[in-house]
Amino acid sequence: MSFSFNDENSLKIEHLAKRYPHKKALLLPLLWLAQKQEGFISDEAMTRISEISQMPFMHIYSVATFYTMFKLQKKSKRVVEVCRTLSCELSGSEAIKKHLLENHSDTYEIVEVECMGACGGAPMCTLEGKYIENVTPQMLDEVLNAN
Amino acid sequence: MKIIVDNVPIECKEGERLIDVMLNNGVEIPHFCYQQDLGMDGNCRMCMVEIKGAKRPQIACNTFVCEGLEASTKSKSINAVNRSILELELLNHPVDCPICDQAGECKLQDYYMSYGLYDSHLTTPKTKKGKHIELGSGVVLDQERCVLCTRCVRFTSNITKTGELGIIGRGDSSRVAVACGHELNNPYALNVVELCPVGALTSKDFRFKQRVWFLDSAKSICHGCSRGCNIFIDYNETKYTKESIYRFRSRRNKQINKSFLCDFGRLSYKELNEKVISTPLPMEILKDLFKSEKKVAMVSPSMSLQQLQSVQIFCKNHEIELFSLPYIDESFGDDWLKTNDKSTNFAGVKELNISVNQDDFENSLENANLIINFDHTLLKEREIKDKKVIHFTTTNIKIPSEAVFAIANFAHESGTLINCDGIRQEFYTTKYKNEVPTLRELLKRRP
Amino acid sequence: MQTKIVSKNFEIPHANTMEVALQNGRYSSLGKLFSHTPQEVIDIIKASNLRGKGGGGAPAGAKWQLASDYEGKKYLVVNADESEPGTFKDRQIISKDPHLLIEGIISTCYAIGSNTSYVYVRGEYEEFSDILQASIDEAYAKNFLGQSAKYPVEITVHRGAGAYICGEKSALLESLEGNRGHPRLKPSSPEPEFYFGEPTLVNNVETIASVPFIIENGAEAYTAYGTDCSSGTLLFAISGHVEKPGVYEAEFGVSMWEYIEKLGGGVKGGKKLKAVIPGGASTPILPAHLVMEAKLDYENLKSLGSALGTGGMIVLDEDASMVKVLKNLLRFYHHESCGQCTPCREGTSWVDKTLDKFIAKTATKKDLEVLKLVSKSMNGQTICVFAPAASGVIDGFLKHFEAEFLECIK
Ligand SMILES: Cc1cc2nc3c(=O)[nH]c(=O)nc-3n(C[C@H](O)[C@H](O)[C@H](O)COP(=O)(O)O)c2cc1C
Ligand code: SF4
Ligand code: SF4
Ligand code: SF4
Ligand code: FES
Ligand code: FES
């Protein structure tokens, strides 16, 4: 199996390449594009990124594993993240997590994350990356069952 | 310029790294990540020293000396700092020294002893990581023993630029790895084993064969090619076994190989353990053979200047035409250490004016009826019909020959070699008596 | 009690669009900007006493000067990594008034002589960086940016991907170069940062967003706000046990308690205050009696044994368990350590695991000692100040609330 960026992304990469002084700097943008395209970052995608950025494969892999948002495994379910850091915990994130695990873990993968910069809207969750703030169990039920 | 370390003045040059000054002057300074030929990274924080006038302890590997600098490695407070960092380093380490190959040459173990950390504060469970992971090229990784100094990673990314190794994960789940489906695979891979300051990287070739404290070392030179990398030969002899050579290690030479060796050279120690069978003939048989009219000799260009000279004199005395041809292998050399000329002393051959003309040699060979081979590889493999061949050899001869005299290999010799860049270097013999005579001893017993 | 300089347009609908932004004064400082020489602009920033709003409070003018003194190619990198727990202010600027940031970037680039700028936005802020990107596109279309602009500036939005440590400026630059976010060793004398070897100025989003006001109104208009040493305003934020969590801009030097009461709506449910973490999770905790005296400026909070940090306050009510709160924070540090240097990699994991024993009430006296000891080892011996910050947090809890920890010892 091999990986190639689709036309739209290839065009984006061409533009991006002009915006950085070195190809290596494209690494994070390329990982993002690959993840957008396939839903995760496959070994094949990393091989392709290694070619474009002219860095060894291991470098790509090492970088990809440093950042928590890069997913190297295919996901079977959509992801709901719950922030577990202080402001959210003080506002009841533990109960939210419990509610999610008990009611939605069949359809969604429930993941705990650290502060998302939404402490003013604590407790908060994300659904496929989109912020949902001041969440309550009822609100989550509505959003998650509707989607 | 002078600086003061632990109240002792030390001569040094402005701008040198403090850690280099310390290492070069025998000051004990604990360190994991700094390595003189890999450079500084500053991650282990073991080399903290107290600098007069500085608010906080500083890492010696990132401190550059200047006039009047005063450093302390021994004060009570700096000792407490070093101790606390070492303690953290040991936190998740299995401390399985009794079954670790590195025991005896492990820095963690050394420092652990010298800071007296027997009574660990550790009261929480250790982080579990991978054990016995085969990385490729015969290198085995134990992630739990790793102190994440990144020496191995920096070697593959900065020195060989092959980039097979990397750190994956983050925080305390960081670990050294090769990517799935990839392996450590370059002609210098085994250097990472030697660079690893602890027992995290070991060589399958050496694992569990010998405890290092039973080993002696001889200062020698690799005979793998004309680079002449400096090595230690690690060997021993027990009551029950004859002397045996266990490995080559690099011996630092800033000008030639720094702290590195190629894998080919590193593993070439194995040939030195070969037991060579002589034909049970006394040297005296040469007397008769030498009566034959046309004699030609070939000497290995890997012999030391001293050996070459005695061969030269021997040949002169017996009116033997002497040649030496280099061992050229176009597929061997690279743009770093390895050279296409796999002979160790061809520059020495030329200095002694030994004939190196291949055509002349072939002509002489054609006309000769007796050939004397002084350990030259080509003639050990080339069957020459209708001519008598006598070998002085360090390895077993598999082709028919008139007589075979075993001679000691370079591990049991001392001498001088001139490398590809014209650098003259000495190598020294291991200390145990060999069963086989050296070439020079043999040649002294005149036929 | 609010003083709106940076947040002036936050309430205006669609202020992120060029049309509304222009109607509300965006890009109006550029005329004044170009009437000054770059050095004059730097001098104005120096005179305004603008301090970095990313947490450190370093004087911006001096940093600009350092970068400006270099010849040749240089970069401006805007730090929008905003990952300090309790901090959510930069996000407001990016999503509610992105043109203010763009205007600030143009001014800063002009002052230091750079034509290339990157905005490093934390990966989680995708929705908000998309808004910023759309505004940047508009600014290119209007020739505020790009090669046809009066002063050519290129802005590229670069997304992080989930790593708190990439907010640390040198780790950020490593990340921007396509590496793991490992902080670099600090130089011994002041120098700018370097991006691919070229001198680079790194400033927080809010720092840059404060520039247009100063250019437009002069340094004195800015120093008129705040205290002598902490001039101007800050987008303070408040969260945790309060009625009205949010971001409210205020002058430096206002009373912390007043801020909590008036802007934060007081402690939630009318409970009593127990403590406040004053400026993001990395600042040492202040118990209620100190909160009453505290003023929101760098010097005052320092004198109380804490720090202003990012100005993101986390309020804790009387029922908060300090053991649980510390556990929460140490879990964060454990999760976010880059893992490069030993004291931090091992230390953060150790203290986190030790706290588990306090939570389970199976801790021993020795565990408390260990906590103090490891905290000490994490201070002053690492590559960046992440570990020392964690150490300061532990020390703060033990200094003011040790009794609660002793209760967990079996
Ligand atoms: C662990 C750590 C995390 C940081 N995170 C941020 C951050 O998220 N945003 C930010 O602007 N500065 C952060 N900083 C401060 C930056 O290193 C840097 O000082 C700042 O961006 C400089 O801009 P300023 O002078 O305008 O504040 C962090 C520092 C440390 C040590
Ligand atoms: S394996 Fe050895 S050399 Fe490599 S990082 Fe670990 S301790 Fe260092
Ligand atoms: S480069 Fe040549 S001399 Fe050096 S170790 Fe390899 S074979 Fe030996
Ligand atoms: S202190 Fe922690 S975060 Fe900072 S460099 Fe060291 S390991 Fe990384
Ligand atoms: S603590 Fe949850 S978003 Fe900040
Ligand atoms: S040797 Fe200096 S920090 Fe590792």
Side-chain angles (χ1 to χ4, degrees):
Chain A
M1 248 202 331
S2 79
F3 171 93
S4 54
F5 282 106
N6 60 30
D7 292 349
E8 189 194 338
N9 284 337
S10 299
L11 203 68
K12 276 190 191 159
I13 293 166
E14 212 176 289
H15 285 296
L16 275 171
K18 295 186 200 125
R19 305 200 70 86
Y20 294 92
H22 287 274
K23 289 225 157 57
K24 192 178 160 201
L26 289 173
L27 230 159
L28 262 64
L30 290 173
L31 286 166
W32 272 124
L33 288 176
Q35 181 156 315
K36 275 261 148 72
Q37 188 172 314
E38 290 198 307
F40 77 113
I41 301 165
S42 60
D43 282 359
E44 292 76 23
M46 284 192 275
T47 306
R48 181 74 195 111
I49 293 171
S50 142
E51 287 159 13
I52 300 175
S53 65
Q54 295 167 1
M55 294 303 292
F57 180 90
M58 187 61 208
H59 181 79
I60 316 295
Y61 183 53
S62 166
V63 169
T65 57
F66 184 84
Y67 299 93
T68 51
M69 293 181 79
F70 290 135
K71 305 294 172 211
L72 305 191
Q73 244 95 46
K74 208 177 187 122
K75 292 175 299 182
S76 51
K77 296 183 225 171
R78 287 190 294 165
V79 176
V80 176
E81 293 168 322
V82 202
C83 171
R84 68 178 187 188
T85 314
L86 192 53
S87 300
C88 285
E89 184 176 291
L90 295 172
S91 310
S93 63
E94 282 175 336
I96 297 292
K97 183 181 98 185
K98 193 157 166 267
H99 179 82
L100 283 168
L101 286 174
E102 281 168 6
N103 300 288
H104 298 283
S105 58
D106 290 342
T107 19
Y108 294 93
E109 190 186 336
I110 315 294
V111 183
E112 280 189 287
V113 292
E114 296 294 348
C115 179
M116 302 284 275
C119 327
M124 69 85 66
C125 292
T126 69
L127 168 59
E128 292 288 276
K130 259 197 117 39
Y131 279 40
I132 317 173
E133 302 183 36
N134 299 306
V135 291
T136 59
Q138 296 74 8
M139 188 174 157
L140 278 173
D141 291 344
E142 268 168 44
V143 177
L144 297 184
N145 294 335
N147 271 275
Chain B
M1 196 192 93
K2 269 200 183 70
I3 61 163
I4 303 198
V5 176
D6 297 326
N7 302 320
V8 181
I10 294 182
E11 198 64 49
C12 58
K13 281 203 259 348
E14 170 103 32
E16 270 187 277
R17 272 183 209 284
L18 179 56
I19 197 168
D20 281 336
V21 174
M22 289 175 153
L23 292 172
N24 296 340
N25 288 280
V27 178
E28 269 185 41
I29 174 79
H31 63 290
F32 288 122
C33 66
Y34 184 72
Q35 203 281 346
Q36 290 189 295
D37 298 309
L38 288 178
M40 192 239 4
D41 197 61
N43 65 55
C44 76
R45 320 306 283 180
M46 278 305 299
C47 65
M48 292 265 187
V49 292
E50 218 162 55
I51 307 273
K52 202 170 169 185
K55 265 196 296 203
R56 295 212 179 93
Q58 304 288 321
I59 50 174
C61 64
N62 195 35
T63 301
F64 297 88
V65 298
C66 55
E67 188 66 54
L69 181 131
E70 277 184 50
S72 161
T73 67
K74 294 204 172 76
S75 76
K76 234 178 150 175
S77 59
I78 199 69
N79 241 294
V81 166
N82 291 339
R83 201 189 134 104
S84 73
I85 294 174
L86 184 62
E87 186 160 36
L88 287 165
E89 197 77 84
L90 279 162
L91 255 186
N92 285 309
H93 189 89
V95 203
D96 53 354
C97 313
I99 55 161
C100 177
D101 242 359
Q102 192 86 356
E105 53 185 9
C106 170
K107 292 193 166 183
L108 200 53
Q109 195 185 31
D110 292 352
Y111 304 153
Y112 172 79
M113 299 294 187
S114 59
Y115 287 95
L117 272 179
Y118 312 107
D119 172 29
S120 167
H121 286 103
L122 180 73
T123 46
T124 55
K126 291 181 194 259
T127 309
K128 287 265 172 284
K129 291 184 188 172
K131 314 230 14 131
H132 201 92
I133 300 167
E134 297 203 3
L135 297 181
S137 297
V139 178
V140 180
L141 166 68
D142 180 328
Q143 290 173 334
E144 287 182 2
R145 288 187 190 144
C146 170
V147 295
L148 288 161
C149 69
T150 71
R151 283 187 185 194
C152 55
V153 174
R154 283 178 283 145
F155 178 76
T156 58
S157 47
N158 305 342
I159 307 284
T160 59
K161 303 209 163 44
T162 44
E164 301 100 318
L165 297 179
I167 306 284
I168 59 169
R170 185 168 87 192
D172 72 331
S173 59
S174 306
R175 57 221 179 271
V176 169
V178 285
C180 187
H182 295 243
E183 57 175 21
L184 177 62
N185 180 17
N186 71 66
Y188 295 89
L190 287 170
N191 283 298
V192 299
V193 173
E194 199 179 305
L195 287 167
C196 182
V198 296
L201 293 174
T202 45
S203 147
K204 267 205 253 136
D205 178 61
F206 182 72
R207 272 172 71 112
F208 311 129
K209 281 204 192 130
Q210 194 52 260
R211 287 310 220 173
V212 294
W213 50 82
F214 294 130
L215 294 180
D216 280 314
S217 302
K219 287 184 180 175
S220 188
I221 288 167
C222 172
H223 277 48
C225 77
S226 65
R227 183 67 62 192
C229 297
N230 292 202
I231 58 171
F232 285 113
I233 299 182
D234 285 351
Y235 64 99
N236 78 0
E237 181 180 71
T238 66
K239 230 162 145 184
Y240 310 104
T241 58
K242 277 282 155 216
E243 176 176 298
S244 168
I245 288 162
Y246 285 92
R247 63 175 177 185
F248 287 172
R249 266 182 306 131
S250 73
R251 180 160 59 90
R252 184 163 193 257
N253 182 322
K254 252 165 61 176
Q255 241 185 327
I256 300 176
N257 55 312
K258 302 219 169 63
S259 312
F260 312 116
L261 297 178
C262 78
D263 287 4
F264 171 84
R266 189 184 292 277
L267 294 175
S268 63
Y269 78 90
K270 290 178 182 170
E271 297 161 13
L272 300 183
N273 287 329
E274 187 174 335
K275 198 169 150 51
V276 184
I277 315 289
S278 291
T279 34
L281 290 174
M283 272 291 272
E284 278 64 42
I285 69 133
L286 291 183
K287 227 181 225 165
D288 290 337
L289 284 171
F290 276 11
K291 286 181 189 137
S292 45
E293 273 157 35
K294 289 217 171 102
K295 301 168 291 246
V296 61
M298 175 74 116
V299 62
S300 164
S302 288
M303 286 199 180
S304 70
L305 281 175
Q306 292 77 355
Q307 286 174 311
L308 289 174
Q309 269 164 337
S310 50
V311 168
Q312 214 174 11
I313 292 166
F314 179 87
C315 290
K316 201 168 159 211
N317 289 345
H318 295 92
E319 293 171 359
I320 308 170
E321 234 185 319
L322 178 62
F323 291 89
S324 185
L325 297 178
Y327 301 138
I328 302 296
D329 176 353
E330 301 285 349
S331 68
F332 185 74
D334 59 20
D335 53 5
W336 187 24
L337 294 178
K338 293 162 84 169
T339 62
N340 283 339
D341 180 1
K342 288 172 94 175
S343 49
T344 326
N345 199 19
F346 193 60
V349 166
K350 288 198 272 193
E351 185 176 285
L352 293 176
N353 287 318
I354 294 171
S355 172
V356 297
N357 188 308
Q358 175 139 20
D359 295 339
D360 290 354
F361 170 68
E362 294 298 339
N363 281 335
S364 303
L365 192 66
E366 188 87 354
N367 299 327
N369 33 33
L370 176 65
I371 298 145
I372 305 149
N373 179 28
F374 293 98
D375 207 30
H376 199 285
T377 336
L378 291 181
L379 291 190
K380 292 190 204 177
E381 285 153 10
R382 178 163 160 191
E383 248 182 275
I384 303 165
K385 292 239 162 64
D386 308 327
K387 291 177 207 265
K388 290 176 178 162
V389 188
I390 299 167
H391 292 283
F392 292 87
T393 178
T394 56
T395 56
N396 282 307
I397 307 286
K398 294 185 185 84
I399 52 169
S401 50
E402 192 65 27
V404 173
F405 297 97
I407 55 168
N409 57 39
F410 75 88
H412 306 100
E413 277 273 9
S414 299
T416 312
L417 300 168
I418 305 175
N419 89 341
C420 55
D421 297 314
I423 302 169
R424 222 167 248 272
Q425 339 186 56
E426 306 295 323
F427 65 98
Y428 302 93
T429 172
T430 57
K431 73 179 180 202
Y432 299 111
K433 186 85 191 105
N434 197 32
E435 296 166 86
V436 199
T438 65
L439 178 64
R440 277 176 292 164
E441 281 167 355
L442 209 53
L443 293 187
K444 270 188 221 142
R445 304 183 204 153
R446 290 159 190 281
Chain C
M1 189 181 184
Q2 285 193 67
T3 308
K4 295 187 174 180
I5 290 181
V6 170
S7 60
K8 198 173 129 264
N9 290 2
F10 282 7
E11 315 283 296
I12 300 170
H14 309 297
N16 61 309
T17 61
M18 181 60 87
E19 200 188 337
V20 180
L22 285 173
Q23 286 161 10
N24 287 282
R26 291 299 158 250
Y27 301 104
S28 61
S29 73
L30 294 184
K32 273 234 174 85
L33 176 78
F34 296 129
S35 73
H36 295 296
T37 64
Q39 185 57 48
E40 281 166 7
V41 177
I42 296 178
D43 292 337
I44 293 171
I45 295 301
K46 282 184 186 162
S48 77
N49 193 21
L50 175 66
R51 295 175 67 167
K53 297 178 195 282
K63 268 170 69 171
W64 290 24
Q65 189 71 59
L66 275 176
S68 150
D69 288 347
Y70 275 80
E71 298 281 327
K73 180 117 189 120
K74 46 197 137 173
Y75 298 98
L76 167 65
V77 173
V78 180
N79 189 342
D81 192 59
E82 187 153 81
S83 315
E84 178 74 25
T87 311
F88 44 100
K89 63 187 177 76
D90 296 337
R91 162 188 166 187
Q92 319 291 330
I93 299 172
I94 288 172
S95 60
K96 294 181 176 159
D97 197 0
H99 289 289
L100 177 64
L101 177 62
I102 299 170
E103 190 179 349
I105 291 175
I106 297 169
S107 315
T108 313
C109 281
Y110 174 73
I112 65 165
S114 162
N115 303 98
T116 315
S117 138
Y118 298 95
V119 184
Y120 186 101
V121 188
R122 66 177 298 179
E124 294 84 349
Y125 279 179
E126 187 173 13
E127 299 164 55
F128 316 121
S129 54
D130 284 350
I131 298 175
L132 174 63
Q133 183 62 56
S135 303
I136 289 174
D137 294 343
E138 284 180 313
Y140 270 101
K142 277 256 185 242
N143 285 337
F144 286 122
L145 295 175
Q147 294 312 306
S148 327
K150 180 133 197 228
Y151 179 79
V153 172
E154 301 288 339
I155 303 182
T156 305
V157 175
H158 190 97
R159 282 183 68 204
Y164 164 71
I165 196 60
C166 289
E168 197 280 338
K169 55 191 179 225
S170 62
L172 185 151
L173 292 173
E174 283 290 313
S175 178
L176 196 59
E177 288 184 9
N179 298 326
R180 294 161 62 84
H182 286 183
R184 299 170 179 166
L185 296 170
K186 299 285 158 297
S188 47
S189 54
E191 53 176 50
E193 302 299 318
F194 291 93
Y195 179 55
F196 283 118
E198 311 282 2
T200 299
L201 170 66
V202 181
N203 268 133
N204 171 258
V205 169
E206 191 189 347
T207 315
I208 299 294
S210 305
V211 171
F213 175 90
I214 299 171
I215 303 292
E216 184 141 32
N217 302 289
E220 274 144 48
Y222 195 70
T223 51
Y225 297 105
T227 68
D228 283 353
C229 293
S230 308
S231 300
T233 61
L234 190 75
L235 290 177
F236 290 100
I238 188 161
S239 64
H241 292 144
V242 285
E243 286 293 343
K244 282 171 44 200
V247 171
Y248 311 102
E249 188 171 7
E251 280 186 66
F252 282 111
V254 299
S255 144
M256 182 183 278
W257 178 238
E258 214 183 314
Y259 186 99
I260 295 170
E261 290 249 276
K262 292 215 175 117
L263 298 175
V267 180
K268 200 167 183 177
K271 287 194 187 168
K272 280 220 297 257
L273 179 76
K274 184 168 194 176
V276 174
I277 297 171
S282 303
T283 52
I285 193 163
L286 288 181
H289 70 277
L290 290 180
V291 172
M292 298 307 153
E293 330 173 359
K295 298 249 180 331
L296 290 174
D297 64 66
Y298 294 103
E299 290 68 31
N300 183 274
L301 286 170
K302 195 168 174 212
S303 73
L304 296 177
S306 186
L308 182 82
T310 62
M313 288 164 259
I314 304 173
V315 176
L316 302 167
D317 72 21
E318 53 188 327
D319 296 333
S321 150
M322 289 307 173
V323 176
K324 253 193 108 188
V325 171
L326 182 59
K327 163 68 198 180
N328 186 294
L329 295 176
L330 295 185
R331 181 177 62 188
F332 173 82
Y333 281 105
H334 180 187
H335 188 258
E336 298 298 335
S337 162
C338 87
Q340 188 182 189
C341 48
T342 312
C344 176
R345 177 183 66 243
E346 306 297 338
T348 51
S349 133
W350 200 357
V351 290
D352 180 26
K353 289 180 192 164
T354 304
L355 254 282
D356 284 338
K357 298 168 105 187
F358 283 91
I359 298 277
K361 297 200 190 283
T362 57
T364 59
K365 263 220 136 68
K366 197 175 160 195
D367 288 314
L368 193 60
E369 269 168 50
V370 164
L371 206 54
K372 290 179 183 168
L373 234 128
V374 178
S375 168
K376 199 166 159 219
S377 311
M378 294 197 302
N379 194 4
Q381 304 174 3
T382 49
I383 294 176
C384 83
V385 298
F386 176 94
S391 163
V393 168
I394 298 172
D395 293 351
F397 275 79
L398 294 182
K399 179 168 159 200
H400 298 296
F401 299 101
E402 185 163 359
E404 285 191 39
F405 289 82
L406 287 168
E407 276 169 29
C408 297
I409 290 175
K410 63 171 183 223

